Amino acid sequence: MERTPIAIVGCGGMGRRHLTGVTALSHSDFCNVELVAVCDINQKNAEDLADEAKASLGTRPRVFTSIADMVKAMPEIQGADVPTDTGSHHRAAAECLRAGLHVMVEKPLAITLRGCNLLLEIARESKKILSVAENYRRDPINRLARALIDDAAIGTPQLMIETSIGGGNQLFITPWRHQKFTGTVTLDAGVHNADILMYYLGDVETAYGDARLYEKYRYKTTSGGPGGFYAKWADQVPDRIEATGEDAMFGFLHFKNGALGQWIFHHAGHGLPQHSRYVYGSKGSLTSPGDRNGRPLKLHFDGGVEISDERILDYAPSYRLSPLAAQLFGGERVWTYSFPFVEIDAKILATEYHEFAECIQTGKKPEVDGQVGRRDTALVYALFESGKAGRPVTLDEIESVKLDAYQREIDEYLGLVPVPVKS
Ligand SMILES: NC(=O)c1ccc[n+]([C@@H]2O[C@H](COP(=O)([O-])OP(=O)(O)OC[C@H]3O[C@@H](n4cnc5c(N)ncnc54)[C@H](O)[C@@H]3O)[C@@H](O)[C@H]2O)c1
């Protein structure tokens, strides 16, 4: 199978996790990428990731601290996977595109809608692929949920309730996830939920909502982040940080298909944590177990009927995983699975890489392309901008930056819009 030479640009926690995705792909029958370079402005992070790649893949990618040097030294590189921190996507991904590389950038596409639009424009001009590494929807359980909805298992969708409450005053993985100018948690993690909401029910037309910063100070934990991948940087994290970015958002959504949505993302929640996802339709309801845990979905029908075992597949005749996902998860119609988190994560990331290389090789459009990534980012900011405007907003208004009262300060800070001169 043809193997597309790629580089990882951004060798932090997610860069390390992406390497596990390349590794899972390389151990499958469908490997279509070759990791030939790693790049990070922090040389130690890049060197460490190259060492990890040598251990897991058998060959050590070349190490760079600048995208320009990398592209000059290795013109054979075709694609860049860009898991740099959220506030730098619009710069790092833009530099890769301008240097002639296809790009798969981590979610969110960019820190603001102006950043998203900039990347879309550069990708269009350079005629390069712009893919967004949105992983939650690729979980087989979410693929099955989507098939159940499409196959009308619950009838016509009427309401989706997406709730995520918890986090208290603990620092979430890295300090930058609590700062307005670097991509605060509501954007950084909330964009996953935005993608799932629209993956399940299609585009949102209007949103009414608000956002809050509840926890002014955040305190370091001993968790090591998802999968423990961030433990190696733990001594660089202060015991306490002052937060500037909103940590909670609340929204009421109108989907284009007529369904309604209630979305709570409260990452400063104390007391009872809640992570739940329900879709109600004209014939029944669907309960999702959340993402990357492999637990089964549940269908409920009137009269107390619950379907939460293999029979659920009868309600989703169209459900089929891709050949790679089927091999990694143990079948093309998987309804539950059980692996450690780190393995689940790697398998899902492997499917992202595979699709990216396939798009480069065949010209196929990525599932989560720049437009979808922008729409996901817009749904998050719709709640922020609605709160500022005091009215429901359309996603079109957000995508076209007709409303930017919240984001303008970030754009000015990052040079995405000129700073007004004070007289
Ligand atoms: N999909 C998921 O489940 C998931 C999970 C975690 C993180 N992420 C995303 O991955 C991205 C990275 O998050 P993280 O937790 O790894 O951050 P991080 O802070 O651990 O790592 C970011 C790395 O990027 C490097 N970097 C910054 N600017 C660069 C540039 N211009 N060129 C090269 N390297 C550069 C930094 O030096 C650092 O090593 C974020 O956008 C985040 O939202 C996604």
Side-chain angles (χ1 to χ4, degrees):
M1 194 172 284
E2 182 188 347
R3 296 194 174 194
T4 300
I6 56 154
I8 294 180
V9 176
C11 307
M14 201 54 187
R16 297 186 71 202
R17 288 168 62 185
H18 277 213
L19 174 61
T20 70
V22 179
T23 305
L25 179 56
S26 76
H27 292 157
S28 77
D29 294 337
F30 300 90
C31 186
N32 58 357
V33 298
E34 188 183 358
L35 180 65
V36 295
V38 294
C39 173
D40 200 300
I41 48 177
N42 177 324
Q43 181 155 5
K44 175 151 175 39
N45 286 357
E47 295 284 357
D48 285 357
L49 193 69
D51 290 343
E52 288 178 35
K54 169 86 176 120
S56 68
L57 299 170
T59 50
R60 194 174 193 273
R62 284 182 65 181
V63 170
F64 296 91
T65 53
S66 118
I67 295 162
D69 290 349
M70 179 179 81
V71 173
K72 197 165 163 210
M74 299 186 75
E76 68 271 29
I77 298 175
Q78 292 185 39
D81 164 35
V82 184
T84 64
D85 43 277
T86 291
S88 63
H89 288 181
H90 65 283
R91 278 197 296 268
E95 195 179 341
C96 290
L97 287 167
R98 285 190 175 117
L101 300 176
H102 300 286
V103 164
M104 175 170 78
V105 62
E106 256 300 340
K107 41 52 60 179
L109 173 57
I111 186 169
T112 62
L113 270 302
R114 279 196 181 83
C116 292
N117 289 336
L118 177 75
L119 287 180
L120 275 159
E121 183 57 22
I122 297 170
R124 195 184 59 76
E125 277 170 8
S126 62
K127 299 191 172 52
K128 296 294 165 196
I129 288 160
L130 177 58
S131 171
V132 180
E134 179 47 69
N135 46 350
Y136 283 26
R137 62 163 65 201
R138 295 176 196 270
D139 181 334
I141 303 301
N142 282 325
R143 296 299 203 203
L144 174 55
R146 168 69 186 265
L148 286 164
I149 294 167
D150 286 354
D151 292 345
I154 58 168
T156 305
Q158 297 170 336
L159 172 69
M160 181 157 174
I161 308 173
E162 176 83 11
T163 309
S164 178
I165 305 177
N169 62 2
Q170 298 191 335
L171 197 148
F172 181 56
I173 314 180
T174 52
W176 63 255
R177 287 178 167 84
H178 295 288
Q179 309 301 330
K180 178 171 180 177
F181 293 162
T182 49
T184 194
V185 60
T186 34
L187 169 67
D188 193 67
V191 77
H192 284 303
N193 306 88
D195 185 71
I196 285 290
L197 281 155
M198 293 191 283
Y199 177 62
Y200 274 33
L201 291 197
D203 281 352
V204 166
E205 179 102 55
T206 62
Y208 183 51
D210 214 344
R212 291 283 182 277
L213 168 52
Y214 285 126
E215 292 293 343
K216 299 276 166 32
Y217 297 96
R218 290 269 167 179
Y219 297 88
K220 181 176 176 173
T221 70
T222 52
S223 90
F229 282 99
Y230 295 78
K232 66 179 261 208
W233 295 286
D235 58 1
Q236 295 170 24
V237 177
D239 290 334
R240 185 181 93 143
I241 60 152
E242 189 171 349
T244 58
E246 281 69 1
D247 49 23
M249 59 185 175
F250 309 91
F252 179 66
L253 319 173
H254 278 252
F255 289 88
K256 282 188 175 164
N257 68 4
L260 301 175
Q262 175 188 282
W263 179 22
I264 297 173
F265 183 94
H266 185 0
H267 200 78
H270 292 267
L272 183 69
Q274 284 199 55
H275 298 280
S276 59
R277 179 177 300 146
Y278 302 101
V279 187
Y280 283 83
S282 56
K283 286 195 332 205
S285 68
L286 173 68
T287 305
S288 159
D291 313 289
R292 299 175 297 180
N293 59 46
R295 291 199 288 271
L297 294 152
K298 290 181 187 166
L299 287 173
H300 286 98
F301 299 107
D302 294 342
V305 177
E306 177 182 303
I307 310 282
S308 54
D309 54 24
E310 202 168 358
R311 288 173 302 155
I312 204 162
L313 293 173
D314 297 342
Y315 295 82
S318 70
Y319 173 53
R320 292 276 178 297
L321 293 177
S322 70
L324 171 64
Q327 181 171 86
L328 294 173
F329 285 94
E332 66 172 3
R333 280 169 58 79
V334 164
W335 61 277
T336 183
Y337 61 79
S338 175
F339 302 104
F341 173 79
V342 173
E343 275 183 45
I344 298 169
D345 196 40
K347 289 172 193 289
I348 294 174
L349 295 170
T351 64
E352 285 179 355
Y353 270 105
H354 184 265
E355 191 213 33
F356 181 44
E358 206 179 17
C359 292
I360 295 173
Q361 289 170 14
T362 66
K364 189 183 119 176
K365 185 164 125 37
E367 176 176 335
V368 185
D369 62 5
Q371 264 97 7
V372 178
R374 174 172 63 184
R375 199 108 189 129
D376 292 343
T377 310
L379 182 51
V380 172
Y381 278 119
L383 305 191
F384 282 70
E385 299 296 355
S386 166
K388 288 274 182 200
R391 63 166 174 87
V393 299
T394 66
L395 255 65
D396 289 347
E397 282 178 296
I398 304 300
E399 286 188 309
S400 58
V401 202
K402 290 204 176 79
L403 293 175
D404 69 348
Y406 179 82
Q407 299 163 79
R408 179 163 273 270
E409 199 187 5
I410 308 173
D411 286 333
E412 287 176 359
Y413 176 78
L414 293 174
L416 285 161
V417 71
V419 181
V421 182
K422 289 198 178 105
S423 52

